[in-house]
Amino acid sequence: MRGSFTLRYSLVTLVLAIFAYLYGLDSRFAPKNGDEYPYMHIVRMTADSGSWLPLQSEMDGIKNTKPPLIFWQGIASTHWASQWSLENLRWPSVLYTALTALLLFVSVRRFSGKTQTGILAALVWLSFFASYRYGRPFLTDPPEVFWLSLPFFALLYWGRAAFESKLLFPVFAGISLGFALFAKSFAYIVPATFALGLYYWHWRKWSISQILIRDLYKLILLGTIALGIFSLWFALDPNPEAVWREFVLGENAGKFSARSSNYFLDFIRGGDSIWMLTITSLANAGLFFFVLISTLLQCWRERRFMSAEGSLLLVLVAAFFLVFGLPSQRSGRYLLPVMPAFAALIAMHWDRLPLWGFRIALVLQLLILALLLWLGLNLQLSTLIGGSSTWHYNPAHWFLMGLSLLLVIIGLIRRERSKAFALMACFLVYSALTSSLAPLEGQLGRFSAQTIERLQGKDVWIPCDYRAKDEEYRLLLPGVQLHGYLAKDAGNIEGLTKTYPIVAVHAPMGAVPILCESCQILGQRMEMRARHSDKEIKEMLLGKIAEHLFVVEYLVSTPVATSITNLDLLNVKDVCR
């Protein structure tokens, strides 16, 4: 059948998926969310305290920002912060992501009766950019998605036995949801129990009396168990009042506050509108955005003949969408737990899906790969620091780029391979993105061992453009006492060297920093800039990539160390906090 996903394609795609998720796991430039560094800070501070609770943090207003499960996970995986690395913090996230993929495979294989459909569901979910972006870093999303998905796909796997279970399944579901709440938020009990209630109602053929008599107590039981597990935080924490104030009222209840003056205006317009929630939820599919849209259109066309499992998957999506459409702060990230359901729907309709969604995905992949190739060639050929080319790729990078481009082009030309190759290319694009920034993970983007040794125990000021940015620098300068200043001032070398005894400053590529006579450069590295003006973007498009995309960061020792004490500087509020 045209577009069928054979066993050979399955094995190749699985290998590509494993490679993409493991390659560059310890990279500072891995796609992620800004929450990772604040979470790392809480883990490190809590581990230093020697106690599991209360959670510790030096950041204003960010201590009990999430339940403790994710932080306990970080403490355990780093052995109380004694083996501190991004890889050790992130590998449990990848494990959770793999377990979710396995859950998808087992359940979809069971109710579809086809092994290939189960494999396809798992691979499609892994191909979503949101799965890659949130499923690898040290974030709450991987455990949340797994524990929330488990009861729903268990119902689809066991079918009648689970629906008719009077005690075993409700207890199992309550424990699973309890871990989800303990990883993310008690607020997820609302969409979860709402969706389970709809599942039971569907099973009772939409009979209200039957669900009230036979299933209502199950929902109450599992909800009570889940909330009971979450409530352990209050029982175990020495300061439950702070948990209530900072997490329950601040982190959760605050999401119902109107962003502007009117809740209903926020609902229909602006970045938090219901329309943006719809778009960002679908955009979680990343390169398969249009494939997902074509799947939903196919579901509508086949609505009269849809299987019970397909209907229940759509019910799960609708329940979460309705509940998370109510708060004034709406984000597609809240819908991450339903992305496995979307992946299952795509797999179930795979052979009947039109090609246009996959061909758009291939075009997008071609554009991204072409851009990465163009950037890589320009950087490789540019004259950089000290007049010599320091940006160097190994041959494996060019092989990866060539293979990726070849696969995408064949997928565009050969219609019968468009679907399979579009799926494979998702993982190749992710790998190409990591490989394109690989030089910054080597000596080019790091300080020398001599510099690190020289700065042990000393106070160093570094630029901060978001909370807990210093946690990234701790990976680059272990054993150094770090303090932050506003990142926008990083280019003000004269002002910084007159203020701080040892400071990190930024200079344009190829430019020699003008320093005072008594200043001394202790080390340097190459860093990627985060923000650019319209003029700089235009110049980058014309080929001046290195000059604007990167800066050279110098660690400078200044006369300030001999003229004043550090005490006054240390009493100034740390920008990273």
mmCIF file of all heavy atoms in Angstrom, residues 503-518:
data_model
loop_
_atom_site.group_PDB
_atom_site.id
_atom_site.type_symbol
_atom_site.label_atom_id
_atom_site.label_comp_id
_atom_site.label_asym_id
_atom_site.label_seq_id
_atom_site.Cartn_x
_atom_site.Cartn_y
_atom_site.Cartn_z
ATOM 1 N N VAL A 503 35.858 39.725 36.128
ATOM 2 C CA VAL A 503 34.593 39.850 35.421
ATOM 3 C C VAL A 503 34.686 39.241 34.022
ATOM 4 O O VAL A 503 35.743 39.263 33.388
ATOM 5 C CB VAL A 503 34.170 41.336 35.335
ATOM 6 C CG1 VAL A 503 35.189 42.151 34.542
ATOM 7 C CG2 VAL A 503 32.776 41.489 34.764
ATOM 8 N N ALA A 504 33.565 38.682 33.561
ATOM 9 C CA ALA A 504 33.463 38.172 32.191
ATOM 10 C C ALA A 504 32.880 39.280 31.323
ATOM 11 O O ALA A 504 31.811 39.810 31.622
ATOM 12 C CB ALA A 504 32.568 36.940 32.141
ATOM 13 N N VAL A 505 33.585 39.638 30.249
ATOM 14 C CA VAL A 505 33.137 40.684 29.338
ATOM 15 C C VAL A 505 33.042 40.112 27.933
ATOM 16 O O VAL A 505 33.668 39.094 27.610
ATOM 17 C CB VAL A 505 34.102 41.894 29.354
ATOM 18 C CG1 VAL A 505 34.195 42.482 30.755
ATOM 19 C CG2 VAL A 505 35.483 41.498 28.847
ATOM 20 N N HIS A 506 32.252 40.777 27.083
ATOM 21 C CA HIS A 506 32.055 40.316 25.714
ATOM 22 C C HIS A 506 32.646 41.309 24.728
ATOM 23 O O HIS A 506 32.503 42.529 24.892
ATOM 24 C CB HIS A 506 30.570 40.137 25.414
ATOM 25 C CG HIS A 506 29.956 38.968 26.116
ATOM 26 N ND1 HIS A 506 28.605 38.693 26.107
ATOM 27 C CD2 HIS A 506 30.527 37.972 26.863
ATOM 28 C CE1 HIS A 506 28.371 37.603 26.809
ATOM 29 N NE2 HIS A 506 29.513 37.146 27.282
ATOM 30 N N ALA A 507 33.274 40.772 23.695
ATOM 31 C CA ALA A 507 33.808 41.587 22.603
ATOM 32 C C ALA A 507 33.405 40.945 21.284
ATOM 33 O O ALA A 507 33.281 39.715 21.194
ATOM 34 C CB ALA A 507 35.331 41.681 22.703
ATOM 35 N N PRO A 508 33.189 41.759 20.237
ATOM 36 C CA PRO A 508 32.812 41.193 18.934
ATOM 37 C C PRO A 508 33.898 40.270 18.394
ATOM 38 O O PRO A 508 35.082 40.388 18.741
ATOM 39 C CB PRO A 508 32.651 42.437 18.038
ATOM 40 C CG PRO A 508 32.432 43.569 18.985
ATOM 41 C CD PRO A 508 33.227 43.223 20.212
ATOM 42 N N MET A 509 33.491 39.366 17.540
ATOM 43 C CA MET A 509 34.438 38.450 16.930
ATOM 44 C C MET A 509 35.487 39.234 16.134
ATOM 45 O O MET A 509 35.168 40.140 15.387
ATOM 46 C CB MET A 509 33.714 37.484 15.989
ATOM 47 C CG MET A 509 32.698 36.597 16.686
ATOM 48 S SD MET A 509 33.424 35.496 17.910
ATOM 49 C CE MET A 509 34.584 34.604 16.909
ATOM 50 N N GLY A 510 36.749 38.873 16.335
ATOM 51 C CA GLY A 510 37.829 39.515 15.598
ATOM 52 C C GLY A 510 38.296 40.821 16.187
ATOM 53 O O GLY A 510 39.311 41.368 15.734
ATOM 54 N N ALA A 511 37.579 41.360 17.188
ATOM 55 C CA ALA A 511 37.961 42.628 17.799
ATOM 56 C C ALA A 511 38.776 42.369 19.061
ATOM 57 O O ALA A 511 38.471 41.474 19.841
ATOM 58 C CB ALA A 511 36.729 43.457 18.137
ATOM 59 N N VAL A 512 39.837 43.146 19.243
ATOM 60 C CA VAL A 512 40.662 43.019 20.443
ATOM 61 C C VAL A 512 40.100 43.946 21.518
ATOM 62 O O VAL A 512 39.944 45.145 21.283
ATOM 63 C CB VAL A 512 42.126 43.400 20.144
ATOM 64 C CG1 VAL A 512 42.973 43.293 21.414
ATOM 65 C CG2 VAL A 512 42.688 42.513 19.042
ATOM 66 N N PRO A 513 39.747 43.427 22.684
ATOM 67 C CA PRO A 513 39.165 44.286 23.731
ATOM 68 C C PRO A 513 40.181 45.307 24.249
ATOM 69 O O PRO A 513 41.356 45.001 24.436
ATOM 70 C CB PRO A 513 38.781 43.280 24.823
ATOM 71 C CG PRO A 513 39.708 42.126 24.612
ATOM 72 C CD PRO A 513 39.920 42.042 23.130
ATOM 73 N N ILE A 514 39.695 46.519 24.439
ATOM 74 C CA ILE A 514 40.543 47.584 24.967
ATOM 75 C C ILE A 514 40.453 47.556 26.486
ATOM 76 O O ILE A 514 39.412 47.842 27.072
ATOM 77 C CB ILE A 514 40.105 48.956 24.426
ATOM 78 C CG1 ILE A 514 40.181 48.957 22.892
ATOM 79 C CG2 ILE A 514 40.973 50.068 25.011
ATOM 80 C CD1 ILE A 514 39.676 50.228 22.266
ATOM 81 N N LEU A 515 41.569 47.211 27.130
ATOM 82 C CA LEU A 515 41.594 47.053 28.577
ATOM 83 C C LEU A 515 42.539 48.059 29.214
ATOM 84 O O LEU A 515 43.410 48.628 28.553
ATOM 85 C CB LEU A 515 42.032 45.627 28.940
ATOM 86 C CG LEU A 515 41.199 44.471 28.367
ATOM 87 C CD1 LEU A 515 41.868 43.144 28.679
ATOM 88 C CD2 LEU A 515 39.790 44.503 28.925
ATOM 89 N N CYS A 516 42.374 48.249 30.509
ATOM 90 C CA CYS A 516 43.272 49.135 31.254
ATOM 91 C C CYS A 516 44.663 48.495 31.356
ATOM 92 O O CYS A 516 44.827 47.293 31.139
ATOM 93 C CB CYS A 516 42.705 49.406 32.645
ATOM 94 S SG CYS A 516 42.574 47.946 33.692
ATOM 95 N N GLU A 517 45.656 49.306 31.697
ATOM 96 C CA GLU A 517 47.029 48.807 31.729
ATOM 97 C C GLU A 517 47.219 47.695 32.751
ATOM 98 O O GLU A 517 48.015 46.776 32.548
ATOM 99 C CB GLU A 517 47.981 49.967 32.039
ATOM 100 C CG GLU A 517 48.061 51.011 30.922
ATOM 101 C CD GLU A 517 49.076 52.093 31.235
ATOM 102 O OE1 GLU A 517 49.737 51.990 32.294
ATOM 103 O OE2 GLU A 517 49.222 53.020 30.419
ATOM 104 N N SER A 518 46.485 47.790 33.855
ATOM 105 C CA SER A 518 46.661 46.797 34.928
ATOM 106 C C SER A 518 45.745 45.586 34.772
ATOM 107 O O SER A 518 45.815 44.650 35.571
ATOM 108 C CB SER A 518 46.403 47.454 36.288
ATOM 109 O OG SER A 518 47.267 48.544 36.496
#
